[in-house]
Amino acid sequence: MCGLQIEKSFSFGLDRTAFMGGPHKIIGMKYYSLNHKSEPVSFREATILGQAPDKGLYFPEQIPRVNQNLISNIHDFSNEEIAFSVMQPYLGDEMPEEMLRKIVNETIDFPIPLIPVTGNIFSLELFHGPTLAFKDVGARFMSRCLGYFAVKNAGKITVLVATSGDTGGAVANGFYGVDGVEVVILYPAGKVSSVQEKQLTTLGKNIHALEVSGTFDDCQHLVKQAFADKDLTQTLSLTSANSINVARWLPQQLYYFLAYKRWPVADQAPVFSVPSGNFGNICAGMLASISGLPVKHFIAACNANDVVPNYLVDGQFIAKTAVQTISNAMDVANPSNFVRVMQLFDQNFFKLKEKLTAYSVSDGETREAIKKVKIERGYLLDPHGAVGYISLDRYLESNPGLKGIFLETAHPVKFLDVVEPITGEKIQVPSTVASILPKQKNSHLMNADYGELKEFLTQSDVFKN
Ligand SMILES: *Cc1c(COP(=O)(O)O)cnc(C)c1O
């Protein structure tokens, strides 16, 4: 109740409009469904719902323009100020200014360095967050927004999420101890790395890990069944925490702005190469660029899952079944955020092709690059970053004179089993990981059976809204 009063008395300050305002201020941004059947909603509703009732992804009605002053003088702004200025128009008056500032400050509360690897290739290291993968930023932002909205609603919200590895850890960490939010993570037994499993199963409190005897697809299917179960959703407020949720998708723009702040080449905008699976991250970069961030070109760096590289050749989008690779966080057959990418380019294939190149990289090439870059440059890539590096290198070879950044999306220690045999060297385990390894795993075993999931969710009052 008091939250509502704060919201009502909250008004736009001059400092903010100076950075982002432009000719028309955006108050209370609306989000519409890309399936165009459900009603537009506010940021708060889009965050709580995750997906629109018509199963479409939410998309902002307007794309705000970043004030030119922020771009031209980006070195003069703190990371926190940049982050606030970029995110504020997407929330409008949904949250008091001081709350949003607190949330963005906590979201980017770790280093995001830009490291030169060769003369024209830079690595943007996105793995210095608590779970050592780039998903920390989106998960931290979303968890704090949802926590704020849950307190205002005075009801419990349950986040239900299936993970193949990295999402679960980031979501668990982001939501740990957030009042009013319970998190249920489904993961396939024996199919996540030991570091990833410990990140999911050792926190306790409001984080519940369900170890499913089955595959990632089984887990995802169970989650979808729960969302479609009207009987269940009457008593529980369920939401998702993957990149279809606007509160996870939108803050990923910040990487690109913060990279630009560190970009050392004065007279030329960077090419960005983004290791891509569900295309949430690259889509956020494209949104940043349409908002006014200088970007020369985008590269979608894909593994053997090559739906988008093929699409860019002939305009045929043919979804296949996912192929398993050593960059497993990108083993996605039908990238759900690609509909947002198309919307950003007005559904125009030729417009998209002007700004985006996509490559498919094999596991063999990935291994070779990890070895070569370690030996020749002394830089250790993880398998996902390696796909980004190779794709950027390929593009720069056919476009001489340009320079670029690849996003290093995970710490190599998360993929020890792949990386150590390639380089023949032990990777030093960071303290954040070392401290959880001896902890007791705490998971609830279940079959890939919807009845069992429903029973787990309804047997106690823990998840009741
Ligand atoms: C999730 C993930 C990706 C893919 O990101 P999308 O936004 O799904 O394209 C790439 N690398 C790592 C390490 C990831 O965890």
Side-chain angles (χ1 to χ4, degrees), residues 248-314:
R248 248 197 76 188
W249 170 52
L250 294 169
Q252 299 181 102
Q253 294 177 85
L254 301 177
Y255 308 136
Y256 300 84
F257 284 95
L258 298 179
Y260 186 70
K261 181 179 167 182
R262 297 190 172 80
W263 182 238
V265 187
D267 55 348
Q268 199 184 85
V271 175
F272 276 104
S273 173
V274 188
S276 293
N278 242 333
F279 278 66
N281 195 358
I282 194 167
C283 183
M286 290 168 158
L287 184 64
S289 129
I290 291 171
S291 306
L293 182 76
V295 175
K296 187 81 190 159
H297 197 70
F298 283 99
I299 297 166
C302 302
N303 57 28
N305 294 282
D306 56 2
V307 181
V308 174
N310 290 343
Y311 171 73
L312 286 178
V313 172
D314 57 11

Side-chain angles (χ1 to χ4, degrees), residues 125-182:
E125 294 186 346
L126 302 178
F127 56 71
H128 297 279
T131 72
L132 312 181
F134 84 92
K135 291 186 172 70
D136 280 325
V137 160
R140 282 158 87 81
F141 187 80
M142 178 185 165
S143 58
R144 283 157 178 79
C145 287
L146 206 53
Y148 171 74
F149 295 141
V151 169
K152 278 186 73 173
N153 290 350
K156 179 146 298 170
I157 296 175
T158 299
V159 173
L160 195 58
V161 65
T163 185
S164 58
D166 279 345
T167 296
V171 168
N173 194 284
F175 281 95
Y176 179 63
V178 173
D179 278 341
V181 181
E182 297 292 325

Side-chain angles (χ1 to χ4, degrees), residues 350-369:
F350 297 99
K351 260 188 174 175
L352 175 67
K353 256 187 97 141
E354 253 170 50
K355 203 71 189 173
L356 177 70
T357 300
Y359 295 116
S360 166
V361 173
S362 72
D363 277 357
E365 291 169 308
T366 307
R367 287 200 168 88
E368 214 172 282

Side-chain angles (χ1 to χ4, degrees), residues 214-233:
T215 61
F216 169 64
D217 286 328
D218 291 329
C219 296
Q220 204 157 29
H221 186 62
L222 289 171
V223 168
K224 283 189 182 151
Q225 278 178 287
F227 283 120
D229 183 346
K230 294 236 160 58
D231 180 37
L232 186 71
T233 53

